[in-house]
Amino acid sequence: MAQTQRTKSSSVERKLIGVADAVITAAQRRQDPTLLIPVRSLSNVTFNEHKGLIEMGKGKQARSFFNVGMAKKFMQTVLVADALCELQRADLTTSLREIYYRTKHTIKDSHENTFDTQDESDPVIEDLEVSLEALREELHVRAENGGSVVGSLVLVDDGDRVDCAKLGKGGYSVPSIVEPEYLQIKKCTADFVLLVEKGTQWNRLSEDKFWRKYNCILLTGNGQPPRGVRRLARRLHEEKRLPVYVLVDNDPWGYYIYSVIKQGSINLAFESQRMAIPKAKFIGLSSADPERYGLPRNVGIKLNDKDITRARELLNYAWFQKTGWQQEIKRMLSSGLKYELDALANKDFQYLTKKYLPRKLKEKDWLD
Amino acid sequence: MSRDSRKPEPQQPSPRAPRPEATVSAVEMGARQREISVSEFFTKNRHLLGFDNPRKALLTCVKEAVDNALDACEEAGILPEVIVKLEVVSNGEAPPPPSQASRFRITVTDYGPGIVRQQVPRIFAKLLYGSKFHRLRMSRGQQGIGISAAGMYGQLTTGKPVRIISRTSARTPAHYFEVQIDTKKNEPRILEKKQIHWDSHRGTQVTIEVEGRYQKGRASVDEYIEQTIITNPHVKLTYITPEGETKEYPRTYHELPPSPREIKPHPYGIELGMLLKMLQDTKSHWLSGFLAGDFSRVSPRLAEEICKAAGISPRKRPRDIHGHAAEALYKAIQSTKIMAPPTNCLSPIGEKAILSGLYQQIKGEFYTAVSRPPAVYRGNPFVIEAGLAYGQGLKEAAENQEEKKIPLAEGEDQEGNHELARVIRYANRVPLLYQQSACAIFKSVLDTTWRNYGVAQSRSALPAGPMVILVHMASVWVPFTSESKEAIADYDEIRKEITLALRECGRRLGTFLKRRERAQSEYRRRNIFELYIEEVVEACNRLKGGRLPTGKLKEQLQKIAMKRTGGEKTDELLGKKGGGPEGLPHSIIVTPEGIEGEVSVPIAEVPPETIPPKEATEDDEEAGEPARVSGQATRQATDKRKAARPTRRVHRPSSAEADFGTAPKGSGRRVGRRRPKPQRKTTARKAADRPKKRATRKRR
């Protein structure tokens, strides 16, 4: 294992040095140094219906140095590559923000900064990820520890045994890198994984020991789940053959979170292979639920213009073309309302744990 | 008014309610009713004339005196030379500092034509007495209220008479007067009258003592003087401030503005009442003769046509036309197509003079001026002129550049400049300092979409930026919103002309800004590549583990950069064509390397090398060199100015340049004399000039 890791990391290092080589070679040939970066937008992704994944197309965009519009971006790309290579050599991991600070300085003899905000450096890192075909973990960049897990699961992290059934209601904070090299699944006796959008609902379920009663693993990503959470869910699904259910708000953003978990995201389509869980099910909150569960209309929220635009966009995505989904979204649009998971508390504080989820699971009422 | 009174009033007794306890009878009331003299009226309503507060009053007094002096000089064909002196007056004690003082003595001296002895008292101590009201001719003053009102204000607040010295020629003696106004009768009262010795051969000196307040800043006497100089570059003005400082404003334009001609009223401009009055007053015996003789642009044939349309015999006596006939005549006039009034009654400042004035008084990098063709409102011809100065002046710009060198933290901004543009307004060359927002000029500036020209502007606000916008309205009758002449009334025709002039200025400014931006971005383009190359090479070196021959890579990249950005050629690609600097007519551009454009300041000596080649344009050919009135004086003035502005290079019209080409090297030549008409340059000549041009100009 250690052997493979070494060669892998050195291959990433070689890829990063390749950026410098591209500049040097172009300069020797008196050409404009250019990097080819795959396009990360809707136009360059396709939905593979067979695999149920969003895949990145072949569209590439040239980033050349001697073009006024791209010169700065190019310079930034080389700087970030340098910083990432430094991480490789020192065998450290770091955050996006630290990379931003590491590469930020005022260019000599000017008042111009290499980066003005982190918004400039983050996409550059993603660009490098995509164009070098290296995963973010391989680049030693970690995201925030954004998620929590609790349930009948035993993990080994850095040699420490973590029993997720014995971590109270706080659970275990999912690290951003959960590759087998760093995190091993020792034991798993659960029957399914429940991925909850919101931390508040996860807390409710954790407090009520929902996972114990229904023998499941509770995961949350606090909004759009970070890579660690998605990857962990995928591993549990793949390695332990657990079905994954997703519980999100009933609004376009909730639908999209589900779709990212299921098929992968447009921005990071190249990671779908590793992250997506094509068999994940949408358990709620469905636009049919308010009626079915008797939620009063007054706990809904009126869809705003942004919501409506977003919902219409979703309707056009290839991976939302199933009849069930078209109906689901159109039903929301025609009702003009969205519902938060929290709205279930209108009936009872423990409605989610005691009524809603048990009934859903019993009736197998979910969307695929 | 007379029209209304003539209309038959309904006479039948209206049923009245029982009379309340009668307290005053009609007879008693009648006893109380009496005539109000104009002077009395204005004593009570002095704010109507611009004497609302002590500070404004001081300004108004200075303004009225200076306006009169300039009008007189110009009408007499004398290049005006005016001395304005403000002194603090104290009653025996030590004079307080000017900012604390409440009494001032204003003395305005001109070396103009002087005033004949008999007229002096009435001009200075009778309201509504003057030469300007009854004729349609462009002048600063209009009604004949100004100076006598100033005198009256002085009399009211300090009790001191107006003192006048006047002399009409070297052969006649100077007369000294002390006059006051009899406010009841609106007649002058002469307190003192004698012959005195006066050094000047001709001219007038007015001294008024008033209660006032001297405070610098907006709408101050100082601002008035400065703004006057901008639109009157032909005036030599000396201003002695209350602090005792003497400010000299030398003459920078040596031509008297063409004397405006007097015109007859245009038929479209009169109202029915006015027509009735003219019908009564005319010397013509026939209606057709009256129409053709007393109006401008009415030919005898047109007069017949009007009579026919009105159904009145052209042979009818004008005095016999009233009532319905008069109304029919009025309607016929309004519906007949009549040519626009003649415009030789106007004397616009002219683009060159505006440019010159702006350039002298306001620091900037770009100046432009636009004169609109004459237009008409209510039968009165008028001309709108606009000028614009943009930029901070070179020194300030350089200072700002220095400040920006500090590294910027996240969220910090480079642009800290949110100053709004300044609008300076003029009517017949007189600056308008009050009631800005009520003025048609100000409204037009607000309504212009400056964003189209690359200048920031918030909603319904002035454009933002280091900018001065000048608008001048020249007309035989400027429609002011009040007697104190502070704001121009909002006629559609006037608004339209102002807007058009402003847009033209804006377009030129936009072009200038765009070109400067482009030139800078070209520079920046190469510059950013140079900066980034450094960064990229360093990063590559680190990536390669510090084993990279950095010098070589840098050199290679720099070569590519040079090739990609067009290298040396970019300088030439941005070359200039067309009339003015960078193809902008009537504009001046100031750069650290020099000044491009026509500055009508005579430059004493210019070494031939510094004269860049320039295409001859029609403009240049027309424009004669300013006449040198007092060679020595101007030369000194220019030298002083030369010292004040570090480096300057002036595009002279090519007429001068043709001579420079043949001048022996190193010999200083004088510009400023009329030179033979230039020939268009040949290509060979142009080619020979090019390298010189490049040698003297460095792109920023």
Side-chain angles (χ1 to χ4, degrees):
Chain A
M1 186 89 99
Q3 189 58 42
T4 50
Q5 200 186 327
R6 262 227 67 77
T7 48
K8 207 165 189 190
S9 96
S10 66
S11 90
V12 171
E13 190 183 329
R14 238 180 292 127
K15 282 177 186 169
L16 287 167
I17 295 174
V19 174
D21 288 330
V23 176
I24 297 163
T25 323
Q28 275 163 356
R29 291 186 189 152
R30 292 166 189 280
Q31 283 166 352
D32 192 354
T34 303
L35 296 173
L36 287 177
I37 291 157
V39 179
R40 288 180 289 120
S41 69
L42 184 60
S43 60
N44 195 35
V45 295
T46 48
F47 177 58
N48 185 329
E49 257 181 273
H50 179 66
K51 290 190 200 162
L53 293 176
I54 293 173
E55 290 180 334
M56 185 163 252
K58 292 207 166 59
K60 286 196 178 165
Q61 157 199 17
R63 178 170 298 169
S64 39
F65 188 12
F66 294 116
N67 175 317
V68 194
M70 297 187 232
K72 188 163 190 184
K73 263 264 155 83
F74 187 93
M75 180 266 297
Q76 290 171 337
T77 313
V78 181
L79 283 180
V80 169
D82 173 35
L84 292 174
C85 193
E86 192 186 329
L87 283 176
Q88 292 290 325
R89 287 176 184 147
D91 201 16
L92 295 168
T93 64
T94 188
S95 68
L96 291 170
R97 186 119 185 111
E98 279 178 336
I99 297 230
Y100 158 63
Y101 280 126
R102 178 70 190 141
T103 50
K104 177 169 185 164
H105 57 261
T106 301
I107 300 171
K108 207 172 74 187
D109 291 335
S110 75
H111 49 258
E112 196 178 335
N113 288 329
T114 48
F115 293 91
D116 283 324
T117 61
Q118 196 188 334
D119 300 342
E120 290 178 48
S121 71
D122 287 358
V124 169
I125 296 167
E126 283 177 0
D127 286 344
L128 278 170
E129 259 180 87
V130 185
S131 55
L132 302 180
E133 290 173 338
L135 300 173
R136 191 171 289 183
E137 296 77 56
E138 291 173 339
L139 291 174
H140 290 205
V141 179
R142 49 185 150 75
E144 302 286 309
N145 291 3
S148 309
V149 61
V150 71
S152 15
L153 175 71
V154 180
L155 301 166
V156 176
D157 182 4
D158 269 0
D160 297 336
R161 190 171 179 277
V162 182
D163 187 347
C164 297
K166 291 178 179 162
L167 289 169
K169 48 179 176 280
Y172 169 65
S173 163
V174 183
S176 72
I177 303 176
V178 294
E179 293 309 303
E181 299 96 287
Y182 301 92
L183 189 81
Q184 293 90 41
I185 301 172
K186 193 96 178 170
K187 196 176 143 204
C188 174
T189 54
D191 295 331
F192 65 93
V193 175
L194 184 66
L195 213 165
V196 189
E197 176 188 349
K198 282 182 165 172
T200 51
Q201 302 314 313
W202 183 89
N203 280 333
R204 159 70 40 234
L205 294 167
S206 171
E207 198 180 297
D208 295 348
K209 302 291 175 203
F210 178 83
W211 56 270
R212 197 164 277 163
K213 194 169 177 192
Y214 291 88
N215 192 27
C216 67
I217 295 168
L218 287 176
L219 258 174
T220 182
N222 296 319
Q224 181 70 262
R227 290 160 188 239
V229 173
R230 283 171 62 194
R231 181 73 183 130
L232 183 63
R234 163 76 182 247
R235 283 187 65 196
L236 290 168
H237 172 73
E238 211 172 42
E239 294 169 26
K240 303 294 169 192
R241 308 266 157 218
L242 301 184
V244 174
Y245 302 106
V246 182
L247 182 64
V248 292
D249 282 348
N250 178 230
D251 60 25
W253 322 98
Y255 294 153
Y256 191 69
I257 287 172
Y258 162 73
S259 89
V260 167
I261 293 162
K262 190 178 170 77
Q263 289 107 359
S265 72
I266 297 170
N267 201 23
L268 297 172
F270 66 103
E271 300 220 279
S272 304
Q273 289 283 11
R274 222 164 50 88
M275 300 265 207
I277 308 162
K279 285 188 182 150
K281 306 279 188 283
F282 173 82
I283 197 165
L285 203 56
S286 158
S287 54
D289 290 347
E291 198 188 327
R292 204 171 296 165
Y293 292 83
L295 274 182
R297 196 183 149 77
N298 59 13
V299 299
I301 301 169
K302 187 177 175 284
L303 288 175
N304 59 32
D305 293 347
K306 258 190 184 166
D307 295 330
I308 293 168
T309 326
R310 187 74 185 126
R312 297 231 167 94
E313 274 169 28
L314 295 181
L315 278 175
N316 290 326
Y317 286 158
W319 49 95
F320 275 114
Q321 293 307 316
K322 286 178 194 155
T323 343
W325 271 107
Q326 292 282 321
Q327 275 175 2
E328 168 75 24
I329 299 171
K330 280 176 185 160
R331 190 163 45 224
M332 179 182 72
L333 279 172
S334 67
S335 80
L337 294 176
K338 58 184 180 184
Y339 290 86
E340 288 184 297
L341 278 170
D342 317 54
L344 292 169
N346 179 258
K347 306 206 67 117
D348 185 279
F349 280 123
Q350 288 184 312
Y351 191 78
L352 177 70
T353 334
K354 298 217 165 134
K355 297 271 164 62
Y356 182 80
L357 280 175
R359 185 173 158 193
K360 278 263 168 183
L361 290 168
K362 200 174 134 207
E363 291 176 3
K364 300 200 171 174
D365 175 23
W366 50 63
L367 268 168
D368 188 19
Chain B
M1 202 105 76
S2 56
R3 178 159 53 105
D4 288 346
S5 59
R6 211 178 293 174
K7 272 190 183 163
E9 292 278 334
Q11 285 297 318
Q12 67 270 57
S14 52
R16 286 196 186 169
R19 202 179 279 232
E21 296 285 304
T23 47
V24 186
S25 74
V27 181
E28 282 171 306
M29 283 169 80
R32 285 187 210 162
Q33 286 156 351
R34 61 189 168 98
E35 196 185 352
I36 306 155
S37 102
V38 201
S39 332
E40 277 180 313
F41 175 75
F42 282 122
T43 314
K44 282 198 170 170
N45 295 295
R46 61 194 197 194
H47 55 275
L48 294 181
L49 298 176
F51 297 95
D52 346 15
N53 60 56
R55 181 165 184 248
K56 195 169 165 187
L58 185 70
L59 169 70
T60 308
C61 291
V62 172
K63 191 174 145 176
E64 295 297 349
V66 172
D67 287 355
N68 276 9
L70 296 181
D71 267 347
C73 291
E74 278 167 23
E75 202 177 340
I78 302 164
L79 270 172
E81 190 178 336
V82 178
I83 301 163
V84 179
K85 189 175 181 185
L86 290 188
E87 292 164 288
V88 176
V89 181
S90 62
N91 300 333
E93 310 133 36
S99 56
Q100 308 286 312
S102 62
R103 253 195 201 201
F104 292 88
R105 188 182 301 120
I106 303 162
T107 309
V108 175
T109 315
D110 68 64
Y111 301 113
I115 302 165
V116 289
R117 187 162 46 94
Q118 299 80 357
Q119 293 293 359
V120 170
R122 266 175 293 191
I123 286 179
F124 290 97
K126 185 173 166 70
L127 284 178
L128 293 171
Y129 186 88
S131 57
K132 298 163 193 170
F133 189 81
H134 292 284
R135 42 186 201 166
L136 283 172
R137 180 179 183 276
M138 181 185 149
S139 60
R140 291 177 178 77
Q142 284 182 345
Q143 294 109 325
I145 297 180
I147 191 68
S148 29
M152 194 170 77
Y153 174 77
Q155 181 184 330
L156 224 64
T157 53
T158 66
K160 293 279 164 66
V162 181
R163 281 175 285 165
I164 303 119
I165 302 174
S166 183
R167 192 172 180 186
T168 50
S169 76
R171 277 163 293 153
T172 52
H175 293 276
Y176 173 83
F177 284 89
E178 278 184 18
V179 292
Q180 274 197 337
I181 190 163
D182 183 334
T183 47
K184 260 193 194 143
K185 294 187 198 141
N186 185 21
E187 283 297 332
R189 198 190 292 147
I190 301 164
L191 302 183
E192 172 95 55
K193 179 166 93 172
K194 62 183 177 193
Q195 278 187 20
I196 57 155
H197 172 76
W198 200 36
D199 288 335
S200 175
H201 285 179
R202 49 159 208 226
T204 312
Q205 179 172 8
V206 193
T207 308
I208 311 172
E209 224 175 285
V210 296
E211 206 175 276
R213 220 164 92 72
Y214 177 75
Q215 190 185 17
K216 289 183 180 170
R218 242 182 70 82
S220 62
V221 176
D222 298 51
E223 194 188 29
Y224 162 76
I225 301 267
E226 269 159 34
Q227 292 196 6
T228 303
I229 291 303
I230 294 176
T231 43
N232 297 280
H234 63 287
V235 174
K236 182 181 176 212
L237 199 142
T238 309
Y239 169 42
I240 302 158
T241 66
E243 282 109 347
E245 191 190 341
T246 303
K247 289 185 186 170
E248 295 264 4
Y249 297 93
R251 186 172 289 135
T252 56
Y253 200 74
H254 296 274
E255 269 169 302
L256 204 63
S259 175
R261 250 173 253 167
E262 195 180 331
I263 57 160
K264 300 214 174 70
H266 190 270
Y268 285 171
I270 58 157
E271 270 135 22
L272 183 56
M274 178 78 172
L275 178 69
L276 287 167
K277 186 176 161 285
M278 286 174 75
L279 283 167
Q280 294 305 308
D281 293 349
T282 184
K283 289 186 186 112
S284 306
H285 298 291
W286 292 350
L287 178 60
S288 60
F290 159 72
L291 289 173
D294 286 15
F295 289 101
S296 57
R297 295 302 198 214
V298 180
S299 63
R301 236 183 78 196
L302 197 64
E304 300 268 341
E305 216 175 282
I306 293 170
C307 296
K308 213 173 124 197
I312 307 169
S313 159
R315 302 290 155 92
K316 195 159 177 163
R317 266 161 57 93
R319 227 158 294 175
D320 295 342
I321 300 172
H322 17 238
H324 286 301
E327 263 182 70
L329 179 66
Y330 183 72
K331 272 187 195 140
I333 289 173
Q334 298 307 315
S335 55
T336 312
K337 203 168 154 40
I338 305 167
M339 220 171 131
T343 51
N344 55 5
C345 54
L346 298 175
S347 164
I349 306 170
E351 281 152 345
K352 282 188 179 203
I354 293 180
L355 265 186
S356 172
L358 279 175
Y359 176 69
Q360 293 302 324
Q361 297 302 322
I362 290 164
K363 280 183 189 144
E365 294 153 62
F366 173 78
Y367 304 85
T368 192
V370 173
S371 275
R372 294 284 310 159
V376 177
Y377 82 92
R378 266 186 42 203
N380 294 315
F382 70 96
V383 168
I384 293 294
E385 294 174 291
L388 193 148
Y390 184 91
Q392 297 171 304
L394 297 172
K395 238 172 96 190
E396 285 80 356
E399 274 167 19
N400 279 7
Q401 211 61 41
E402 281 299 305
E403 282 168 24
K404 284 182 190 166
K405 288 274 171 169
I406 323 155
L408 295 171
E410 198 174 317
E412 263 186 333
D413 210 342
Q414 276 196 30
E415 301 302 323
N417 193 2
H418 300 296
E419 164 197 9
L420 289 185
R422 193 153 68 98
V423 181
I424 51 182
R425 303 168 291 133
Y426 295 90
N428 287 351
R429 292 170 184 260
V430 180
L432 309 177
L433 298 178
Y434 280 92
Q435 287 196 21
Q436 174 167 267
S437 48
C439 185
I441 291 175
F442 186 75
K443 288 179 194 164
S444 306
V445 173
L446 289 188
D447 285 354
T448 306
T449 322
W450 293 93
R451 254 175 291 173
N452 293 349
Y453 313 122
V455 182
Q457 183 186 24
S458 324
R459 245 179 116 77
S460 63
L462 286 173
M467 181 153 80
V468 174
I469 300 163
L470 175 155
V471 179
H472 173 232
M473 173 173 178
S475 178
V476 290
W477 190 260
V478 179
F480 288 112
T481 55
S482 78
E483 292 315 303
S484 52
K485 300 201 266 189
E486 287 158 349
I488 296 173
D490 202 352
Y491 281 94
D492 284 349
E493 295 91 337
I494 298 173
R495 271 289 272 281
K496 187 182 145 209
E497 282 298 312
I498 299 173
T499 307
L500 289 173
L502 288 174
R503 281 190 195 153
E504 180 57 33
C505 282
R507 269 192 290 275
R508 289 183 197 162
L509 174 67
T511 315
F512 164 74
L513 290 175
K514 221 182 291 158
R515 287 201 188 143
R516 195 178 64 170
E517 177 65 26
R518 199 171 66 198
Q520 278 175 348
S521 88
E522 196 68 12
Y523 162 79
R524 204 164 52 211
R525 208 161 128 190
R526 190 163 332 138
N527 212 28
I528 57 169
F529 291 148
E530 268 160 30
L531 290 174
Y532 294 172
I533 283 170
E534 196 85 10
E535 292 289 327
V536 167
V537 168
E538 283 305 312
C540 284
N541 186 29
R542 285 192 299 265
L543 275 167
K544 295 296 276 180
R547 296 185 303 270
L548 197 70
T550 47
K552 193 177 136 205
L553 181 60
K554 210 184 288 178
E555 205 175 292
Q556 284 167 337
L557 287 172
Q558 273 162 358
K559 262 189 201 155
I560 302 170
M562 189 62 100
K563 206 172 80 189
R564 294 265 158 175
T565 52
E568 306 279 348
K569 265 188 229 156
T570 48
D571 291 352
E572 272 177 36
L573 285 174
L574 291 162
K576 290 124 205 188
K577 279 182 205 150
E582 308 210 345
L584 297 169
H586 304 294
S587 304
I588 300 174
I589 293 172
V590 182
T591 63
E593 287 80 36
I595 295 146
E596 296 163 37
E598 305 150 39
V599 184
S600 41
V601 184
I603 296 299
E605 276 166 4
V606 184
E609 288 84 4
T610 57
I611 300 296
K614 191 168 154 286
E615 298 287 332
T617 61
E618 281 158 25
D619 251 322
D620 293 336
E621 283 162 28
E622 276 170 18
E625 292 294 331
R628 292 178 73 97
V629 176
S630 50
Q632 203 53 42
T634 34
R635 194 161 153 195
Q636 274 170 0
T638 347
D639 287 346
K640 232 188 277 167
R641 247 173 280 122
K642 254 176 118 181
R645 288 186 180 249
T647 49
R648 64 187 304 165
R649 196 190 40 166
V650 176
H651 273 273
R652 299 306 306 170
S654 56
S655 52
E657 183 210 336
D659 281 26
F660 285 126
T662 55
K665 260 217 158 147
S667 74
R669 288 296 296 258
R670 247 185 201 199
V671 199
R673 264 184 289 129
R674 202 174 272 280
R675 301 213 176 263
K677 262 205 164 188
Q679 292 108 29
R680 291 222 168 244
K681 268 183 295 188
T682 61
T683 358
R685 214 175 135 62
K686 249 191 259 174
D689 281 332
R690 270 281 144 71
K692 240 197 269 170
K693 175 180 180 180
R694 210 179 305 151
T696 49
R697 178 180 304 151
K698 224 174 69 196
R699 282 240 64 86
R700 283 200 287 162

